[in-house]
Amino acid sequence: PVDRRFADVPITAKGGGARTPLMAPKTVAVVLRGAREVLDSMALSMLEASVDLEGLGQGQYQLPVRVAPPQHVAVVRVEPAQVRVRIP
């Protein structure tokens, strides 16, 4: 297996209803591990980074960023692992 870094993966908010949170930063870098041929065929659009707003009210939070990797690929790390989120 080899590691590959994907920069500028956009973060989406899940579970927040109609509210639009402010996030800093708005993107993360993701390091994945897998077979070279799998990683070479991957596009940035295949990665989804998200924060979970379920059950959170108005305020400021430090939330972990979750990345759902494609099949046969593992997440080594997410940089930064947490982002600042403000829910208006």
Side-chain angles (χ1 to χ4, degrees), residues 6 9-10 30 32 42-49 67-70:
F6 291 83
V9 178
V30 179
L32 300 177
M42 282 188 56
L44 187 63
S45 61
M46 297 170 76
L47 287 175
E48 181 180 314
V67 175

Side-chain angles (χ1 to χ4, degrees), residues 1-71:
V2 297
D3 291 0
R4 181 166 171 208
R5 186 175 192 267
F6 291 83
D8 300 321
V9 178
I11 305 167
T12 58
K14 295 191 174 188
R19 299 171 298 174
T20 303
L22 301 171
M23 283 186 271
K26 295 180 181 189
T27 64
V28 290
V30 179
V31 178
L32 300 177
R33 178 171 293 150
R36 181 181 305 278
E37 53 275 6
V38 173
L39 293 177
D40 286 349
S41 68
M42 282 188 56
L44 187 63
S45 61
M46 297 170 76
L47 287 175
E48 181 180 314
S50 63
V51 291
D52 184 7
L53 304 182
E54 190 68 44
L56 298 178
Q58 182 177 2
Q60 293 196 31
Y61 303 90
Q62 278 287 124
L63 298 176
V65 178
R66 305 205 187 291
V67 175
Q71 270 191 313

